[in-house]
Amino acid sequence: MGVFANIFIALTALFHVGFLVLEMFLWTGPTGRKIFRMSAEQAEATRVLAANQGLYNGFLAAGLVWSLLASQPDFAFQLKVFFLVCVIVAAIYGAWSVKPRILLVQGGPAILALVLTVLAS
C-alpha cells in the first residue's frame, strides 16, 4: 500500500508542478486563457496574482517531493501528511471560493494519497 501512496503523492506533486507552469508562465497565453476562460485583459490584470499562486503550488510540489526523498521514515510520514493536508485545505478553499471542481482536480489525488499513506503506516 505504501507504494501506491507514494505514486499518488508523486502524481499530486506533478500536478502542482503543472499548476506552477500554468499560473506562472502560461497564464496570459492562449492555454491559460482557454483553461480559465479569460480574456486577454483579464489575464493581464491578474498575471501577478496568478504567478504568486503558481509559486505557492511549486512550494507544495517541492514539499511533496521532499517527503518522498526523506530517508527517516517517521519524518517522511510527517512531511507527507503535512503537505498533503496543505494541498487538501487549498483544494477545499478553492472549491468554496472559485469552483467546486477544484476539489476533485486538486484535492482528489491528495485525499487518496493521504488515505493510502495513513493506511500504510
Side-chain angles (χ1 to χ4, degrees), residues 35-93:
I35 289 172
F36 292 98
R37 297 181 180 117
M38 296 181 295
S39 67
E41 295 78 22
Q42 290 171 312
E44 187 58 38
T46 57
R47 180 179 56 83
V48 174
L49 294 172
N52 187 52
Q53 186 170 301
L55 185 62
Y56 284 104
N57 279 309
F59 291 144
L60 291 171
L64 291 168
V65 170
W66 179 24
S67 78
L68 293 171
L69 299 176
S71 60
Q72 207 281 330
D74 288 339
F75 182 57
F77 176 77
Q78 292 169 354
L79 288 172
K80 289 172 184 179
V81 170
F82 175 78
F83 283 101
L84 289 169
V85 168
C86 287
V87 169
I88 293 165
V89 169
I92 291 168
Y93 183 76

